Amino acid sequence: MNDISQSIKKIDSDVKALGKAIYTSDIKMDGMLYAKTVRSKHQKAKILNINYPALPKGYFVVDHRDIPGENIVKIIFDDMPIFAKDEVNYYLEPIALIVGPEKEVIEELVSQVHVEYEILDAVFEYKNSVVNYHFTKGDIKKAKQNADREITFEYTTGYQEQLYIEPQGMIGYFENEVIHLVGSLQCPYYVKNAVISALNCKEDYIKVIASNVGGAFGGKEEFPSLMGTELAVAVHKIKKPIKLIFEREEDMEVTTKRHPAKITLTGYIKDNDIIGMSSNVGMDAGAYIGLSGVVLSRALIASTGAYTVE
């Protein structure tokens, strides 16, 4: 048994330090196909019609019509579609995948997809709050009455990119009548549960494997569930290995970020001690909720920082 003060060598330190660690993008399989996403060009619009180009042999379109189960990324709230069907609710929302053996051909096919829209008014302000939390500790009214002064500060934060070293990526393949998903992700059971819902399948039809993760910082908790469901639907349809890897530009454009926030903190002070604190936190969750409720609750719980406030 090791003493708690003794340094313990990480199991993966050698391969990472020597550059020998295998990441998702390093994995190659025979007959592997590649996928790229067709995305919305508008923030808010109805989809009137989608015209796909003629596909060469060995190339495929994967969209909402290929989903055997629910067209929903099942996380906590069921509000985010896997592929947009009747409308889009944010810029660059996924509409379909184009899958095939040559990346250059896929890029050209994606550029030839024509989507007819009826553009609608988008909302960019903090509105229609659907998740609310209220936490109390102690008697804040008593703290306010006993305080000899109050201090209030207001803060705003913008979108923050996690900027993990390795972009979002996942590989799916069909083996022994099971879909395997290997990816750079933090929460494999989030992905597994989302895929089970999308494919309307038994648990043992899906196996999710977290590969070496080149950084995440919270950025690979939620988003891999969207990628995983898209890829699982594609593998279920095509039955071949498929790689879906984002280049850095796409990753920064389309993935979820740390939430913009508006925060008001009021401290009730007596004899230069903070005897009470009131926190009001609002977060911009974007078009869909995802894990925003979890983030909001943690922001509230942590609003006193490292201090104990009675």
Side-chain angles (χ1 to χ4, degrees):
M1 182 178 291
N2 290 307
D3 186 271
I4 63 169
S5 61
Q6 181 181 341
S7 178
I8 299 175
K9 187 175 181 179
K10 290 184 67 176
I11 193 170
D12 58 355
S13 59
D14 283 354
V15 290
K16 287 186 174 179
L18 295 171
K20 294 181 178 180
I22 302 299
Y23 294 92
T24 306
S25 188
D26 299 320
I27 300 171
K28 295 178 175 60
M29 303 181 74
D30 292 339
M32 177 169 281
L33 306 179
Y34 301 92
K36 189 168 179 62
T37 311
V38 177
R39 300 186 178 278
S40 165
K41 296 181 180 179
H42 301 285
Q43 292 93 340
K44 177 76 173 176
K46 289 183 180 178
I47 297 175
L48 303 179
N49 190 36
I50 305 176
N51 292 306
Y52 293 109
L55 299 177
K57 186 178 179 180
Y59 289 82
F60 306 87
V61 168
V62 179
D63 63 13
H64 68 87
R65 297 170 296 180
D66 298 302
I67 300 172
E70 287 191 89
N71 184 21
I72 288 292
V73 182
K74 189 174 184 62
I75 303 180
I76 297 174
F77 297 91
D78 297 342
D79 67 337
M80 181 166 64
I82 299 166
F83 295 113
K85 178 184 176 184
D86 299 316
E87 64 179 14
V88 292
N89 288 303
Y90 65 92
Y91 179 57
L92 301 178
E93 183 167 1
I95 296 173
L97 295 179
I98 303 293
V99 180
E102 298 292 336
K103 293 181 182 179
E104 294 81 2
V105 176
I106 295 170
E107 290 271 4
E108 180 60 28
L109 291 171
V110 168
S111 72
Q112 293 175 16
V113 176
H114 179 66
V115 184
E116 296 177 31
Y117 297 98
E118 177 187 337
I119 300 174
L120 305 173
D121 291 333
V123 176
F124 299 101
E125 297 78 26
Y126 284 62
K127 283 188 177 182
N128 302 326
S129 180
V130 290
V131 179
N132 295 277
Y133 292 109
H134 183 74
F135 298 130
T136 58
K137 174 192 173 187
D139 189 341
I140 192 68
K141 291 181 179 179
K142 184 178 178 181
K144 188 174 183 178
Q145 291 169 354
N146 293 337
D148 51 44
R149 60 193 173 108
E150 298 180 10
I151 301 175
T152 298
F153 286 96
E154 293 184 356
Y155 306 90
T156 60
T157 66
Y159 284 106
Q160 187 178 19
E161 167 64 47
Q162 287 90 352
L163 207 64
Y164 25 71
I165 302 167
E166 176 197 22
Q168 301 273 1
M170 199 170 291
I171 291 171
Y173 60 95
F174 195 72
E175 184 177 84
N176 298 325
E177 301 301 315
V178 173
I179 291 177
H180 296 69
L181 296 173
V182 182
S184 183
L185 50 94
Q186 291 177 259
C187 304
Y189 282 96
Y190 278 1
V191 177
K192 184 179 177 72
N193 291 335
V195 172
I196 290 170
S197 172
L199 296 186
N200 190 27
C201 64
K202 295 182 179 179
E203 289 189 14
D204 57 5
Y205 185 59
I206 306 298
K207 183 174 183 178
V208 179
I209 303 164
S211 61
N212 284 307
V213 178
F217 318 120
K220 294 173 182 174
E221 287 185 81
E222 173 189 280
F223 197 81
S225 293
L226 174 59
M227 291 187 75
T229 49
E230 292 173 347
L231 194 56
V233 170
V235 172
H236 180 74
K237 174 180 180 176
I238 301 168
K239 301 293 194 297
K240 288 188 176 182
I242 304 171
K243 179 181 284 191
L244 179 59
I245 302 284
F246 288 175
E247 298 295 336
R248 178 63 68 186
E249 294 85 354
E250 184 178 16
D251 194 299
M252 293 185 71
E253 275 193 313
V254 308
T255 59
T256 46
K257 313 299 178 194
R258 288 177 180 167
H259 297 61
K262 295 180 180 178
I263 303 166
T264 302
L265 303 179
T266 298
Y268 303 107
I269 316 299
K270 183 175 182 180
D271 299 329
N272 291 325
D273 285 334
I274 302 174
I275 61 171
M277 194 166 107
S278 174
S279 309
N280 187 288
V281 180
M283 289 187 161
D284 184 350
Y288 304 115
I289 302 170
L291 294 178
S292 300
V294 177
V295 178
L296 175 61
S297 67
R298 289 180 179 176
L300 285 166
I301 291 167
S303 61
T304 57
Y307 297 95
T308 299
V309 180
E310 292 301 322

PDB file of all heavy atoms in Angstrom, residues 131-153:
ATOM      1  N   VAL A 131     -35.161  26.349 -17.143  1.00  0.00           N
ATOM      2  CA  VAL A 131     -34.544  25.674 -16.006  1.00  0.00           C
ATOM      3  C   VAL A 131     -34.314  26.719 -14.912  1.00  0.00           C
ATOM      4  O   VAL A 131     -33.660  27.737 -15.152  1.00  0.00           O
ATOM      5  CB  VAL A 131     -33.197  25.025 -16.389  1.00  0.00           C
ATOM      6  CG1 VAL A 131     -32.571  24.355 -15.168  1.00  0.00           C
ATOM      7  CG2 VAL A 131     -33.393  24.004 -17.499  1.00  0.00           C
ATOM      8  N   ASN A 132     -34.861  26.460 -13.745  1.00  0.00           N
ATOM      9  CA  ASN A 132     -34.697  27.388 -12.625  1.00  0.00           C
ATOM     10  C   ASN A 132     -34.295  26.610 -11.379  1.00  0.00           C
ATOM     11  O   ASN A 132     -34.855  25.538 -11.098  1.00  0.00           O
ATOM     12  CB  ASN A 132     -36.005  28.136 -12.348  1.00  0.00           C
ATOM     13  CG  ASN A 132     -36.409  29.036 -13.492  1.00  0.00           C
ATOM     14  OD1 ASN A 132     -35.937  30.154 -13.601  1.00  0.00           O
ATOM     15  ND2 ASN A 132     -37.279  28.537 -14.357  1.00  0.00           N
ATOM     16  N   TYR A 133     -33.343  27.144 -10.626  1.00  0.00           N
ATOM     17  CA  TYR A 133     -32.955  26.549  -9.353  1.00  0.00           C
ATOM     18  C   TYR A 133     -32.955  27.623  -8.276  1.00  0.00           C
ATOM     19  O   TYR A 133     -32.683  28.792  -8.553  1.00  0.00           O
ATOM     20  CB  TYR A 133     -31.556  25.927  -9.433  1.00  0.00           C
ATOM     21  CG  TYR A 133     -31.472  24.708 -10.310  1.00  0.00           C
ATOM     22  CD1 TYR A 133     -30.817  24.756 -11.529  1.00  0.00           C
ATOM     23  CD2 TYR A 133     -32.041  23.499  -9.916  1.00  0.00           C
ATOM     24  CE1 TYR A 133     -30.737  23.639 -12.350  1.00  0.00           C
ATOM     25  CE2 TYR A 133     -31.969  22.380 -10.728  1.00  0.00           C
ATOM     26  CZ  TYR A 133     -31.309  22.460 -11.941  1.00  0.00           C
ATOM     27  OH  TYR A 133     -31.243  21.365 -12.742  1.00  0.00           O
ATOM     28  N   HIS A 134     -33.269  27.218  -7.057  1.00  0.00           N
ATOM     29  CA  HIS A 134     -33.221  28.142  -5.927  1.00  0.00           C
ATOM     30  C   HIS A 134     -32.641  27.382  -4.740  1.00  0.00           C
ATOM     31  O   HIS A 134     -33.232  26.400  -4.269  1.00  0.00           O
ATOM     32  CB  HIS A 134     -34.615  28.673  -5.588  1.00  0.00           C
ATOM     33  CG  HIS A 134     -34.611  29.672  -4.486  1.00  0.00           C
ATOM     34  ND1 HIS A 134     -34.168  30.966  -4.663  1.00  0.00           N
ATOM     35  CD2 HIS A 134     -34.988  29.582  -3.190  1.00  0.00           C
ATOM     36  CE1 HIS A 134     -34.273  31.628  -3.526  1.00  0.00           C
ATOM     37  NE2 HIS A 134     -34.771  30.805  -2.619  1.00  0.00           N
ATOM     38  N   PHE A 135     -31.480  27.796  -4.294  1.00  0.00           N
ATOM     39  CA  PHE A 135     -30.830  27.161  -3.157  1.00  0.00           C
ATOM     40  C   PHE A 135     -30.795  28.138  -1.989  1.00  0.00           C
ATOM     41  O   PHE A 135     -30.543  29.332  -2.178  1.00  0.00           O
ATOM     42  CB  PHE A 135     -29.389  26.758  -3.499  1.00  0.00           C
ATOM     43  CG  PHE A 135     -29.287  25.760  -4.614  1.00  0.00           C
ATOM     44  CD1 PHE A 135     -28.431  25.976  -5.674  1.00  0.00           C
ATOM     45  CD2 PHE A 135     -30.046  24.604  -4.606  1.00  0.00           C
ATOM     46  CE1 PHE A 135     -28.322  25.067  -6.712  1.00  0.00           C
ATOM     47  CE2 PHE A 135     -29.957  23.683  -5.640  1.00  0.00           C
ATOM     48  CZ  PHE A 135     -29.095  23.910  -6.692  1.00  0.00           C
ATOM     49  N   THR A 136     -31.051  27.657  -0.791  1.00  0.00           N
ATOM     50  CA  THR A 136     -30.946  28.502   0.401  1.00  0.00           C
ATOM     51  C   THR A 136     -30.104  27.802   1.459  1.00  0.00           C
ATOM     52  O   THR A 136     -30.068  26.565   1.550  1.00  0.00           O
ATOM     53  CB  THR A 136     -32.328  28.796   1.001  1.00  0.00           C
ATOM     54  OG1 THR A 136     -32.984  27.556   1.323  1.00  0.00           O
ATOM     55  CG2 THR A 136     -33.198  29.583   0.038  1.00  0.00           C
ATOM     56  N   LYS A 137     -29.423  28.636   2.240  1.00  0.00           N
ATOM     57  CA  LYS A 137     -28.655  28.127   3.380  1.00  0.00           C
ATOM     58  C   LYS A 137     -28.719  29.187   4.467  1.00  0.00           C
ATOM     59  O   LYS A 137     -28.404  30.350   4.206  1.00  0.00           O
ATOM     60  CB  LYS A 137     -27.199  27.880   2.980  1.00  0.00           C
ATOM     61  CG  LYS A 137     -26.299  27.477   4.145  1.00  0.00           C
ATOM     62  CD  LYS A 137     -24.838  27.540   3.745  1.00  0.00           C
ATOM     63  CE  LYS A 137     -23.950  27.314   4.963  1.00  0.00           C
ATOM     64  NZ  LYS A 137     -22.536  27.533   4.665  1.00  0.00           N
ATOM     65  N   GLY A 138     -29.145  28.811   5.635  1.00  0.00           N
ATOM     66  CA  GLY A 138     -29.236  29.798   6.704  1.00  0.00           C
ATOM     67  C   GLY A 138     -30.390  30.766   6.494  1.00  0.00           C
ATOM     68  O   GLY A 138     -31.314  30.511   5.725  1.00  0.00           O
ATOM     69  N   ASP A 139     -30.327  31.908   7.180  1.00  0.00           N
ATOM     70  CA  ASP A 139     -31.388  32.905   7.138  1.00  0.00           C
ATOM     71  C   ASP A 139     -30.845  34.180   6.509  1.00  0.00           C
ATOM     72  O   ASP A 139     -30.220  35.010   7.169  1.00  0.00           O
ATOM     73  CB  ASP A 139     -31.897  33.178   8.561  1.00  0.00           C
ATOM     74  CG  ASP A 139     -33.151  34.039   8.579  1.00  0.00           C
ATOM     75  OD1 ASP A 139     -33.404  34.716   7.559  1.00  0.00           O
ATOM     76  OD2 ASP A 139     -33.852  34.041   9.599  1.00  0.00           O
ATOM     77  N   ILE A 140     -31.078  34.357   5.200  1.00  0.00           N
ATOM     78  CA  ILE A 140     -30.517  35.514   4.492  1.00  0.00           C
ATOM     79  C   ILE A 140     -31.182  36.812   4.954  1.00  0.00           C
ATOM     80  O   ILE A 140     -30.548  37.881   4.974  1.00  0.00           O
ATOM     81  CB  ILE A 140     -30.650  35.326   2.960  1.00  0.00           C
ATOM     82  CG1 ILE A 140     -29.812  36.371   2.205  1.00  0.00           C
ATOM     83  CG2 ILE A 140     -32.099  35.387   2.524  1.00  0.00           C
ATOM     84  CD1 ILE A 140     -28.327  36.192   2.365  1.00  0.00           C
ATOM     85  N   LYS A 141     -32.451  36.749   5.362  1.00  0.00           N
ATOM     86  CA  LYS A 141     -33.125  37.958   5.857  1.00  0.00           C
ATOM     87  C   LYS A 141     -32.481  38.446   7.150  1.00  0.00           C
ATOM     88  O   LYS A 141     -32.304  39.651   7.365  1.00  0.00           O
ATOM     89  CB  LYS A 141     -34.611  37.673   6.069  1.00  0.00           C
ATOM     90  CG  LYS A 141     -35.381  37.445   4.778  1.00  0.00           C
ATOM     91  CD  LYS A 141     -36.859  37.202   5.045  1.00  0.00           C
ATOM     92  CE  LYS A 141     -37.618  36.988   3.744  1.00  0.00           C
ATOM     93  NZ  LYS A 141     -39.068  36.712   3.990  1.00  0.00           N
ATOM     94  N   LYS A 142     -32.137  37.502   7.995  1.00  0.00           N
ATOM     95  CA  LYS A 142     -31.480  37.861   9.265  1.00  0.00           C
ATOM     96  C   LYS A 142     -30.100  38.459   9.001  1.00  0.00           C
ATOM     97  O   LYS A 142     -29.690  39.438   9.642  1.00  0.00           O
ATOM     98  CB  LYS A 142     -31.354  36.611  10.141  1.00  0.00           C
ATOM     99  CG  LYS A 142     -30.768  36.880  11.515  1.00  0.00           C
ATOM    100  CD  LYS A 142     -30.734  35.593  12.336  1.00  0.00           C
ATOM    101  CE  LYS A 142     -30.110  35.848  13.693  1.00  0.00           C
ATOM    102  NZ  LYS A 142     -30.039  34.591  14.493  1.00  0.00           N
ATOM    103  N   ALA A 143     -29.384  37.883   8.036  1.00  0.00           N
ATOM    104  CA  ALA A 143     -28.067  38.430   7.681  1.00  0.00           C
ATOM    105  C   ALA A 143     -28.196  39.863   7.179  1.00  0.00           C
ATOM    106  O   ALA A 143     -27.397  40.741   7.533  1.00  0.00           O
ATOM    107  CB  ALA A 143     -27.407  37.554   6.617  1.00  0.00           C
ATOM    108  N   LYS A 144     -29.225  40.103   6.369  1.00  0.00           N
ATOM    109  CA  LYS A 144     -29.437  41.450   5.829  1.00  0.00           C
ATOM    110  C   LYS A 144     -29.759  42.440   6.937  1.00  0.00           C
ATOM    111  O   LYS A 144     -29.276  43.583   6.950  1.00  0.00           O
ATOM    112  CB  LYS A 144     -30.558  41.410   4.801  1.00  0.00           C
ATOM    113  CG  LYS A 144     -30.755  42.709   4.037  1.00  0.00           C
ATOM    114  CD  LYS A 144     -31.777  42.547   2.934  1.00  0.00           C
ATOM    115  CE  LYS A 144     -31.919  43.838   2.129  1.00  0.00           C
ATOM    116  NZ  LYS A 144     -32.898  43.671   1.016  1.00  0.00           N
ATOM    117  N   GLN A 145     -30.579  42.015   7.920  1.00  0.00           N
ATOM    118  CA  GLN A 145     -30.949  42.891   9.030  1.00  0.00           C
ATOM    119  C   GLN A 145     -29.758  43.221   9.920  1.00  0.00           C
ATOM    120  O   GLN A 145     -29.638  44.344  10.433  1.00  0.00           O
ATOM    121  CB  GLN A 145     -32.049  42.229   9.875  1.00  0.00           C
ATOM    122  CG  GLN A 145     -33.404  42.127   9.164  1.00  0.00           C
ATOM    123  CD  GLN A 145     -34.383  41.244   9.903  1.00  0.00           C
ATOM    124  OE1 GLN A 145     -34.041  40.609  10.906  1.00  0.00           O
ATOM    125  NE2 GLN A 145     -35.611  41.162   9.387  1.00  0.00           N
ATOM    126  N   ASN A 146     -28.867  42.237  10.102  1.00  0.00           N
ATOM    127  CA  ASN A 146     -27.733  42.427  11.010  1.00  0.00           C
ATOM    128  C   ASN A 146     -26.526  43.091  10.354  1.00  0.00           C
ATOM    129  O   ASN A 146     -25.578  43.473  11.044  1.00  0.00           O
ATOM    130  CB  ASN A 146     -27.304  41.083  11.610  1.00  0.00           C
ATOM    131  CG  ASN A 146     -28.357  40.500  12.528  1.00  0.00           C
ATOM    132  OD1 ASN A 146     -29.192  41.227  13.053  1.00  0.00           O
ATOM    133  ND2 ASN A 146     -28.329  39.184  12.715  1.00  0.00           N
ATOM    134  N   ALA A 147     -26.563  43.219   9.037  1.00  0.00           N
ATOM    135  CA  ALA A 147     -25.393  43.776   8.327  1.00  0.00           C
ATOM    136  C   ALA A 147     -25.273  45.272   8.586  1.00  0.00           C
ATOM    137  O   ALA A 147     -26.274  45.986   8.730  1.00  0.00           O
ATOM    138  CB  ALA A 147     -25.520  43.501   6.838  1.00  0.00           C
ATOM    139  N   ASP A 148     -24.035  45.749   8.639  1.00  0.00           N
ATOM    140  CA  ASP A 148     -23.827  47.194   8.737  1.00  0.00           C
ATOM    141  C   ASP A 148     -23.589  47.828   7.370  1.00  0.00           C
ATOM    142  O   ASP A 148     -23.565  49.044   7.242  1.00  0.00           O
ATOM    143  CB  ASP A 148     -22.692  47.530   9.712  1.00  0.00           C
ATOM    144  CG  ASP A 148     -21.414  46.758   9.443  1.00  0.00           C
ATOM    145  OD1 ASP A 148     -21.018  46.647   8.263  1.00  0.00           O
ATOM    146  OD2 ASP A 148     -20.798  46.250  10.409  1.00  0.00           O
ATOM    147  N   ARG A 149     -23.439  46.986   6.324  1.00  0.00           N
ATOM    148  CA  ARG A 149     -23.361  47.510   4.957  1.00  0.00           C
ATOM    149  C   ARG A 149     -23.564  46.371   3.955  1.00  0.00           C
ATOM    150  O   ARG A 149     -23.428  45.190   4.299  1.00  0.00           O
ATOM    151  CB  ARG A 149     -22.037  48.230   4.683  1.00  0.00           C
ATOM    152  CG  ARG A 149     -20.780  47.401   4.826  1.00  0.00           C
ATOM    153  CD  ARG A 149     -19.543  48.294   4.838  1.00  0.00           C
ATOM    154  NE  ARG A 149     -18.335  47.548   5.146  1.00  0.00           N
ATOM    155  CZ  ARG A 149     -17.376  47.267   4.263  1.00  0.00           C
ATOM    156  NH1 ARG A 149     -17.501  47.685   3.009  1.00  0.00           N
ATOM    157  NH2 ARG A 149     -16.299  46.601   4.624  1.00  0.00           N
ATOM    158  N   GLU A 150     -23.896  46.788   2.725  1.00  0.00           N
ATOM    159  CA  GLU A 150     -24.074  45.843   1.620  1.00  0.00           C
ATOM    160  C   GLU A 150     -23.143  46.219   0.473  1.00  0.00           C
ATOM    161  O   GLU A 150     -22.897  47.404   0.238  1.00  0.00           O
ATOM    162  CB  GLU A 150     -25.517  45.856   1.094  1.00  0.00           C
ATOM    163  CG  GLU A 150     -26.555  45.435   2.109  1.00  0.00           C
ATOM    164  CD  GLU A 150     -27.966  45.473   1.529  1.00  0.00           C
ATOM    165  OE1 GLU A 150     -28.084  45.644   0.281  1.00  0.00           O
ATOM    166  OE2 GLU A 150     -28.925  45.351   2.301  1.00  0.00           O
ATOM    167  N   ILE A 151     -22.650  45.214  -0.212  1.00  0.00           N
ATOM    168  CA  ILE A 151     -21.823  45.443  -1.402  1.00  0.00           C
ATOM    169  C   ILE A 151     -22.395  44.594  -2.538  1.00  0.00           C
ATOM    170  O   ILE A 151     -22.601  43.393  -2.374  1.00  0.00           O
ATOM    171  CB  ILE A 151     -20.345  45.052  -1.164  1.00  0.00           C
ATOM    172  CG1 ILE A 151     -19.753  45.861  -0.017  1.00  0.00           C
ATOM    173  CG2 ILE A 151     -19.524  45.256  -2.439  1.00  0.00           C
ATOM    174  CD1 ILE A 151     -18.335  45.439   0.357  1.00  0.00           C
ATOM    175  N   THR A 152     -22.667  45.223  -3.674  1.00  0.00           N
ATOM    176  CA  THR A 152     -23.212  44.505  -4.828  1.00  0.00           C
ATOM    177  C   THR A 152     -22.310  44.685  -6.038  1.00  0.00           C
ATOM    178  O   THR A 152     -21.856  45.796  -6.328  1.00  0.00           O
ATOM    179  CB  THR A 152     -24.623  45.016  -5.178  1.00  0.00           C
ATOM    180  OG1 THR A 152     -25.493  44.762  -4.070  1.00  0.00           O
ATOM    181  CG2 THR A 152     -25.170  44.303  -6.410  1.00  0.00           C
ATOM    182  N   PHE A 153     -22.035  43.595  -6.714  1.00  0.00           N
ATOM    183  CA  PHE A 153     -21.277  43.620  -7.973  1.00  0.00           C
ATOM    184  C   PHE A 153     -22.059  42.858  -9.032  1.00  0.00           C
ATOM    185  O   PHE A 153     -22.698  41.846  -8.734  1.00  0.00           O
ATOM    186  CB  PHE A 153     -19.892  42.985  -7.816  1.00  0.00           C
ATOM    187  CG  PHE A 153     -18.904  43.819  -7.069  1.00  0.00           C
ATOM    188  CD1 PHE A 153     -18.704  43.625  -5.705  1.00  0.00           C
ATOM    189  CD2 PHE A 153     -18.168  44.803  -7.716  1.00  0.00           C
ATOM    190  CE1 PHE A 153     -17.789  44.389  -5.011  1.00  0.00           C
ATOM    191  CE2 PHE A 153     -17.255  45.573  -7.026  1.00  0.00           C
ATOM    192  CZ  PHE A 153     -17.065  45.371  -5.677  1.00  0.00           C
TER     193      PHE A 153
END
